[in-house]
């Protein structure tokens, strides 16, 4: 599962995650917000695991979070407090975010990796990062940005980029996830090129924790309703 913040504002309605994060960074409260999201996600994932579901959770970090000197200690405390094994947590940071300060990013990510936490590069392909840095980053996963995935069944260039990224990731020993899988045709292409996991609206819309628990129960019973569901796993 991937935890994404939804702000239901009483005056302005639903404010999307990217705008919420942008406002939090501008207001200087991003560290507090990130820790709040991390605790909610870790607490919920631990509850899912106690109920018998083998689920992990991904949480997006802001580039400003990498400047928090207490980040690794605070995350370690949250994992211990809620009894979630570190392998149950994946932290995602955008490619462009890592490139703002590559040395600091590498140092922080190495510390998190040493704790046993999974690390993923989000929106891969949009940040024009140097491959020399990519091979130094202690990440487990790259996530192909949906801008390359959504139209790859009609755009040959997008399909080539997706195929090449999957090959690159595998050659570097990384797991590859394709974002933006919205219909069976896209799933078939991602599976054909050996993508390890996928995520997208083909499998479900964003949903609350209790609704997701019902979703997990249905998929365990083989009643997901999705053709090709077995061909690839997906974060929700």
């Amino acid at each position: 599962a991937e935890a994404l913040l939804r702000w239901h504002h009483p005056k302005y309605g639903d404010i999307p995650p990217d705008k919420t994060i942008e406002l939090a960074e501008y207001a200087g409260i991003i560290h507090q917000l990130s820790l709040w999201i991390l605790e909610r996600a870790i607490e919920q994932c631990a509850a899912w695991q106690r109920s018998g579901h083998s689920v992990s959770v991904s949480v997006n970090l802001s580039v400003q979070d990498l400047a928090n000197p207490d980040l690794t200690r605070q995350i370690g405390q949250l994992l211990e407090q809620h009894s979630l094994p570190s392998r149950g947590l994946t932290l995602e940071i955008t490619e462009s975010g890592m490139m703002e300060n590559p040395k600091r990013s590498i140092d922080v990510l190495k510390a998190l990796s040493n704790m046993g936490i999974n690390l993923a590069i989000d929106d891969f392909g949009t940040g024009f990062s140097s491959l020399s840095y990519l091979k130094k980053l202690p990440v487990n996963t790259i996530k192909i940005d949906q801008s390359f995935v959504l139209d790859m069944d009609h755009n040959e260039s997008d399909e080539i980029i997706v195929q090449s990224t999957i090959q690159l990731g595998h050659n570097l020993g990384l797991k590859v996830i394709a974002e933006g899988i919205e219909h069976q045709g896209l799933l078939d292409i991602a599976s054909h090129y050996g993508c390890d996991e996928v995520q997208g609206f083909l499998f479900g819309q964003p949903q609350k924790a209790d609704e997701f628990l019902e979703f997990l129960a249905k998929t365990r019973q083989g009643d997901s309703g999705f053709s090709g569901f077995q061909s690839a796993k997906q974060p929700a």
Side-chain angles (χ1 to χ4, degrees):
E2 180 175 353
L4 292 175
L5 185 66
R6 293 293 190 273
W7 183 4
H8 303 292
H9 196 283
K11 181 178 179 181
Y12 300 107
D14 290 345
I15 299 176
D18 55 346
K19 189 63 176 179
T20 303
I21 297 304
E22 179 184 330
L23 291 169
E25 290 176 340
Y26 179 79
I29 60 170
I30 188 63
H31 295 334
Q32 298 96 310
L33 181 61
S34 294
L35 287 173
W36 181 85
I37 296 170
L38 277 163
E39 180 163 18
R40 298 286 79 75
I42 289 171
E43 180 181 29
Q44 184 62 71
C45 188
W48 285 332
Q49 291 196 0
R50 286 194 299 271
S51 67
H53 296 283
S54 180
V55 179
S56 62
V57 65
S58 297
V59 178
N60 294 274
L61 290 182
S62 162
V63 60
Q64 292 187 22
D65 289 321
L66 298 181
N68 177 4
D70 296 321
L71 180 67
T72 54
R73 177 184 60 80
Q74 291 168 328
I75 291 176
Q77 288 178 341
L78 290 175
L79 291 170
E80 182 177 1
Q81 177 183 343
H82 296 287
S83 301
L84 180 70
S86 56
R87 65 181 180 276
L89 177 65
T90 296
L91 297 176
E92 300 184 11
I93 182 84
T94 62
E95 183 182 3
S96 57
M98 289 184 185
M99 291 303 104
E100 285 198 17
N101 190 326
K103 184 181 184 305
R104 183 178 66 195
S105 297
I106 291 172
D107 291 343
V108 174
L109 294 177
K110 281 184 177 179
L112 292 168
S113 178
N114 289 336
M115 294 167 60
I117 295 170
N118 298 308
L119 301 172
I121 302 177
D122 197 16
D123 300 339
F124 187 81
T126 61
F128 305 103
S129 65
S130 168
L131 292 179
S132 65
Y133 282 115
L134 177 60
K135 70 179 183 180
K136 296 178 183 178
L137 293 171
V139 297
N140 314 95
T141 303
I142 56 176
K143 300 182 70 175
I144 306 174
D145 187 71
Q146 64 178 351
S147 63
F148 303 112
V149 175
L150 288 171
D151 197 38
M152 65 179 178
D153 55 336
H154 295 109
N155 188 310
E156 184 178 0
S157 295
D158 284 346
E159 183 177 355
I160 291 172
I161 289 173
V162 170
Q163 178 188 12
S164 300
T165 304
I166 293 171
Q167 291 177 343
L168 172 65
H170 288 168
N171 288 338
L172 291 173
L174 303 174
K175 182 171 69 175
V176 182
I177 298 176
E179 301 178 293
I181 301 295
E182 296 194 352
H183 59 77
Q184 185 68 39
L186 298 177
L187 176 60
D188 291 342
I189 294 173
S191 299
H192 174 72
Y193 290 125
C195 196
D196 301 290
E197 297 184 10
V198 298
Q199 70 179 82
F201 289 163
L202 172 63
F203 306 102
Q205 300 288 327
Q207 49 196 285
K208 297 180 181 179
D210 54 348
E211 296 170 339
F212 184 60
L213 190 60
E214 294 178 7
F215 174 84
L216 290 176
K218 288 182 180 179
T219 55
R220 172 173 286 186
Q221 296 166 5
D223 186 30
S224 65
F226 301 121
S227 62
F229 187 80
Q230 300 296 326
S231 62
K233 297 179 287 184
Q234 93 293 347

